[in-house]
């Protein structure tokens, strides 16, 4: 694969399994958005349109996928890869080996990589806007400029993506990783995983504490309202008593 991302601006030793999982999740979101745009498009899908579409998809995998899977191989880390992204990677691997043509890849992407497929479902990952969202324009005739992205820029896009996802579908931002050892990828991965587990545990503890406090305030409020409610109820009873006596 031809890589369009450069790795010089971010030290590989600072890149964790959590970073890789985040970037690949972001890439999956982009492919889900691209698929939805393609599915809704009424543009005539000529041979030139399909070829242009595949070229733009090639930029997507070169910018957001393969540089990070290569880093993972070098560092011996194994992030989770969503099913939709695995299908896209498989398509491009076969394209590079000559097993399929660009037109066949276009067909497979549209029919077999659908995020509506329950095995690949990814629509919950989609946000309203993306950086460099070429698929919103007539990319096949306008010549959308595809930039060369470095790792820092991709990480910034990833962080922005998770900030805009609805709560409950976003990944929890990872903590700062300390105590790593130079040239020991396996140990560093263990340190990173442990740090993230501790951060998740603390986040869960804080959430439970917040819910407990909210429940306590609600209970106290109900207790304070009991006396006024009793007084109102008694006043209503008393207001009907003279009427009953007159009857």
């Amino acid at each position: 694969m031809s890589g369009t991302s450069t790795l010089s601006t971010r030290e590989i030793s600072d890149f964790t399994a959590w970073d890789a999982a985040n970037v690949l999740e972001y890439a999956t979101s982009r492919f889900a958005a691209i698929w939805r745009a393609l599915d809704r498009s009424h543009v005539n899908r000529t041979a030139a349109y399909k070829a242009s579409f595949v070229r733009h998809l090639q930029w997507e995998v070169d910018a957001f996928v393969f540089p990070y899977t290569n880093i993972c191989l070098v560092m011996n880390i194994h992030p989770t890869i969503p099913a939709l992204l695995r299908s896209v990677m498989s398509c491009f691997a076969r394209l590079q080996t000559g097993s399929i043509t660009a037109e066949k890849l276009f067909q497979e992407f549209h029919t077999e990589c659908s995020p509506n497929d329950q095995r690949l479902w990814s629509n919950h990952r989609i946000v309203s806007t993306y950086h460099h969202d070429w698929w919103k324009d007539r990319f096949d005739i306008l010549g959308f400029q595809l930039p060369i992205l470095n790792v820092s820029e991709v990480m910034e896009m990833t962080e922005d993506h998770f900030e805009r996802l609805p709560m409950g579908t976003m990944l929890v931002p990872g903590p700062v990783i300390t105590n790593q050892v130079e040239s020991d990828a396996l140990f560093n991965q263990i340190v990173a995983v442990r740090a993230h587990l501790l951060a998740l545990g603390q986040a869960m503890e804080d959430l439970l504490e917040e819910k407990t406090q909210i429940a306590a305030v609600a209970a106290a409020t109900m207790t304070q309202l009991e006396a006024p409610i009793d007084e109102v109820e008694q006043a209503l009873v008393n207001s009907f008593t003279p009427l009953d006596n007159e009857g």
Side-chain angles (χ1 to χ4, degrees):
M1 286 292 176
S2 58
T4 57
S5 293
T6 58
L7 308 182
S8 59
T9 58
R10 184 182 175 94
E11 292 294 331
I12 291 181
S13 59
D14 294 334
F15 196 82
T16 68
W18 192 266
D19 293 328
N22 284 348
V23 172
L24 296 178
E25 181 71 22
Y26 173 58
T28 302
S29 174
R30 292 182 65 92
F31 282 113
I34 292 167
W35 189 95
R36 186 170 66 174
L38 173 65
D39 191 51
R40 295 177 177 181
S41 174
H42 298 290
V43 175
N44 185 21
R45 295 167 186 171
T46 63
Y49 174 89
K50 294 177 181 178
S52 179
F53 185 88
V54 171
R55 284 198 302 272
H56 284 73
L57 278 186
Q58 179 75 65
W59 176 81
E60 289 286 330
V61 296
D62 285 343
F64 300 104
V65 181
F66 285 107
Y68 304 95
T69 56
N70 290 339
I71 292 175
C72 293
L73 289 174
V74 171
M75 297 184 65
N76 191 30
I77 59 179
H78 307 282
T80 300
I81 300 178
L84 176 59
L85 188 56
R86 289 200 303 271
S87 295
V88 173
M89 293 170 65
S90 173
C91 287
F92 276 95
R94 287 183 289 127
L95 178 67
Q96 292 298 308
T97 58
S99 301
I100 59 174
T101 63
E103 183 170 356
K104 178 63 174 176
L105 187 149
F106 177 91
Q107 294 173 351
E108 288 193 11
F109 178 80
H110 189 215
T111 59
E112 298 182 20
C113 295
S114 166
N116 295 327
D117 189 323
Q118 290 300 311
R119 298 169 300 168
L120 308 175
W121 194 77
S122 300
N123 276 329
H124 69 285
R125 296 179 167 99
I126 298 176
V127 297
S128 56
T129 59
Y130 291 84
H131 298 275
H132 312 299
D133 49 353
W134 52 267
W135 56 89
K136 287 188 176 181
D137 297 313
R138 281 299 306 271
F139 55 89
D140 56 319
I141 58 177
L142 295 179
F144 192 95
Q145 294 298 314
L146 299 174
I148 296 176
L149 302 174
N150 61 44
V151 177
S152 295
E153 290 172 323
V154 172
M155 293 300 296
E156 288 176 3
M157 294 179 201
T158 300
E159 291 170 4
D160 176 67
H161 170 75
F162 287 133
E163 287 176 358
R164 292 187 293 116
L165 273 178
M167 186 62 67
T169 58
M170 65 183 295
L171 296 179
V172 178
V176 176
I177 308 300
T178 59
N179 301 323
Q180 291 190 325
V181 177
E182 185 177 356
S183 301
D184 195 336
L186 180 58
F187 176 80
N188 290 340
Q189 183 177 0
I190 294 172
V191 170
V193 171
R194 182 176 183 276
H196 287 295
L197 288 176
L198 290 174
L200 289 172
Q202 184 62 51
M204 181 62 70
E205 182 178 340
D206 293 342
L207 179 62
L208 291 175
E209 178 64 25
E210 179 184 353
K211 296 299 183 184
T212 300
Q213 292 177 358
I214 293 173
V217 170
T221 302
M222 291 299 296
T223 300
Q224 293 174 0
L225 290 175
E226 284 182 0
I229 291 174
D230 290 341
E231 292 177 2
V232 171
E233 183 178 358
Q234 187 60 48
L236 289 173
V237 171
N238 293 339
S239 67
F240 286 106
T241 300
L243 297 175
D244 294 340
N245 292 338
E246 291 177 4

